[in-house]
Each structure stands twice: as C-alpha cells, then as structure tokens.
Amino acid sequence: MMHPDTPVSAVMTRSLVTVGPDATLAEAASVLCARPFRHLPVLHGGELVGILSDRDLLEASGGREAGGARRVREIMRERVQTANPGTSVAQAGEFLAEEKIGSLVVRAGRRIEGIVTRTDLLRAFREWCRATRGVPWFRALVRDHMTPDPRTIELDAPLAEALRICRELRIRRLPVLREGRVYGILSDRDLRRAIAYALEKGEPAAAVRVAAFASPTAMVIAAASSLTAAVFTLVGNEVGALPVLEATALVGVISQADILRAHAGL
C-alpha cells in the first residue's frame, strides 16, 4: 500500500536521462520527443547545473532566433527545485502544486538520486486509492477541480497558432475540435514532436496543420466523475490530461496538476 507518507525515494525515477549545457536545442528536443518524460536535468562535469523542460523548449520555439542550433545553457533554468529522498509523496505533491512545476530532482547532499514527477506521484496516489476509501477525497468530483472553459483549437488550424497559444498561456495541452466537437487533444507528447519539428525548421511552418500532430483518440471523462476515476484514467492510459464533457459538450480539462492541487487542498 502506498501511503501519503511514503518517501519519494520509493516512487522516483532512478535511471536519469540527462543532457549537457552545450547540447543543441534540437538535440534536447529529439531526446524528449523519443521519451515519455518532460524534464532533462542538465549536468556539467557530473554536477547539476540546471534543468530543461518541454515548456522551456516550447517557449524557445517562437521567434526568429529560435533555431535548433542554440544551446541548452541559453534557456535552461539554473535554479533547480530539489527534494531529499525522505520527502513524503504528499509533501512533494503539495510543493509541485504550489510552485506550478512538473518535477523535483531528488538529491542526497551533492549526489543526485533521481527525479520525481507529477506522473510518479499520480501513480502513488492510485495505489493509495486502491487501498483506502477515506474521505473527503472519494467525495471529490472532477467538475469541482477541473480547469473550466479551456482554450481550444480547430483541427485544421495552423500548427504555428497552436504553439503560439500554448506559449502565451503556458500550457502543455490543447483540446482539439473538429466542426465544434471534441476530436482529441494536442497533448504534451504531441507538442514535443511539434517542438522538435519547429526547432529543426527554425520556426513553426504556417503550412503545417494541427491535424499532423494531434492525437485523435483522446480519453475523455464526465464532469460528474470522481477524482479517483480521473486518477485511474490518467495513470492507466499514461496521459497528462483529459477533456471533461457534460453530455457531448466540452466544459473543462482535468490534468495531473489539477489533481495535485485538489489533493493538497482536501
């Protein structure tokens, strides 16, 4: 049973994939595009000097100067949020929710032990949900904790427009509509592929459409569903967010971040 007091050392990812500060953005984007994660610790001489996320790459993919030949050190964040191996999964989840970040590097002194992400914590919460029927968590509904009235984009819209919206709103996922109805979602994984494309080309190509990258078979969830159901759906399908429907109408999005915030507040 995964208790909320379980240390992050029990759920973190230990086999780290890292990048050097002199790697190009195109190289870093290629690594993220090929892997199911969103963060790359940046090491120099074995020392942690920064962290690079897909959001950093998304923001760097706009503008004339945003070629893939730029270096990781130009856009990485030097201030890295860390946790010690004994930090509880509940504490880590609350911190990620408050700081609106996606991961914590786990270190013991100067030694890097691993990285704990929102996905790692959601998996831990799923195990906790399986083992207990405690309240108020099991009374919480998706509609009360989702992000309502999300920004959307049409399937035939230019990819450049989708990337612009995600950069300006600092979001990683964008529901996709076809003729006003939910078609799917431009997910964080789709965005990583789009970012890699944009960096390779130097800037987003106006001729490329959202349809070239959007996932057409996104899972959805009803607004009246429980947050527990959302946890199981997100983790079981390895997705970061779900469109929320009432009947067939899109009314919101429930993401890993929304669930961590809800868990911290209940």
Side-chain angles (χ1 to χ4, degrees):
M1 180 175 69
M2 192 65 66
H3 192 274
D5 291 336
T6 299
V8 294
S9 59
V11 303
M12 69 185 182
T13 300
R14 295 179 180 273
S15 300
L16 287 183
V17 176
T18 65
V19 69
D22 291 322
T24 66
L25 299 192
E27 290 168 342
S30 178
V31 172
L32 284 173
C33 187
R35 307 278 183 153
F37 47 72
R38 303 194 306 264
H39 306 87
L40 286 174
V42 183
L43 300 186
H44 181 64
E47 292 289 323
L48 181 67
V49 296
I51 194 161
L52 184 75
S53 71
D54 58 356
R55 177 173 287 168
D56 300 323
L57 287 171
L58 176 61
E59 293 175 354
S61 68
R64 296 179 180 176
E65 76 286 359
R70 293 175 66 197
R71 305 292 168 174
V72 166
R73 54 182 157 74
E74 298 178 51
I75 70 165
M76 70 181 190
R77 284 170 287 140
E78 295 183 4
R79 181 172 176 264
V80 183
Q81 300 285 5
T82 63
N84 65 62
T87 300
S88 71
V89 294
Q91 290 170 327
E94 184 172 0
F95 186 81
L96 291 180
E98 288 179 352
E99 297 296 319
K100 297 181 180 180
I101 57 177
S103 68
L104 292 168
V105 174
V106 182
R107 63 194 307 175
R110 298 171 65 90
R111 187 177 69 254
I112 299 174
E113 299 284 339
I115 190 168
V116 62
T117 68
R118 291 173 180 170
T119 300
D120 295 325
L121 295 177
L122 261 290
R123 290 194 187 105
F125 291 156
R126 179 181 63 174
E127 298 310 306
W128 176 242
C129 290
R130 281 175 171 162
T132 182
R133 289 292 183 268
V135 293
W137 178 255
F138 278 80
R139 288 200 300 262
L141 301 180
V142 167
R143 66 161 57 96
D144 297 322
H145 298 281
M146 68 185 184
T147 298
D149 303 318
R151 185 70 178 269
T152 63
I153 195 161
E154 287 289 333
L155 184 65
D156 63 352
L159 172 63
E161 175 67 8
L163 292 176
R164 182 191 65 78
I165 292 170
C166 290
R167 282 196 300 268
E168 291 182 358
L169 299 183
R170 293 180 61 79
I171 57 177
R172 291 192 179 96
R173 304 169 190 90
L174 194 59
V176 179
L177 305 181
R178 180 168 60 184
E179 299 178 354
R181 298 175 68 88
V182 175
Y183 167 84
I185 197 165
L186 192 65
S187 68
D188 53 347
R189 293 175 186 174
D190 300 326
L191 282 173
R192 285 196 290 274
R193 292 191 296 123
I195 292 164
Y197 176 89
L199 289 171
E200 179 184 353
K201 298 296 182 181
E203 60 181 2
V208 178
R209 300 290 156 177
V210 169
F213 293 95
S215 301
T217 55
M219 301 293 298
V220 299
I221 195 165
S225 299
S226 68
L227 281 184
T228 301
V231 170
F232 276 79
T233 305
L234 287 169
V235 176
N237 292 280
E238 298 183 345
V239 295
L242 297 166
V244 181
L245 304 184
E246 285 190 349
T248 60
L250 177 71
V251 295
V253 169
I254 187 80
S255 68
Q256 292 176 339
D258 293 323
I259 290 175
L260 289 180
R261 281 191 292 270
H263 189 270
L266 290 174

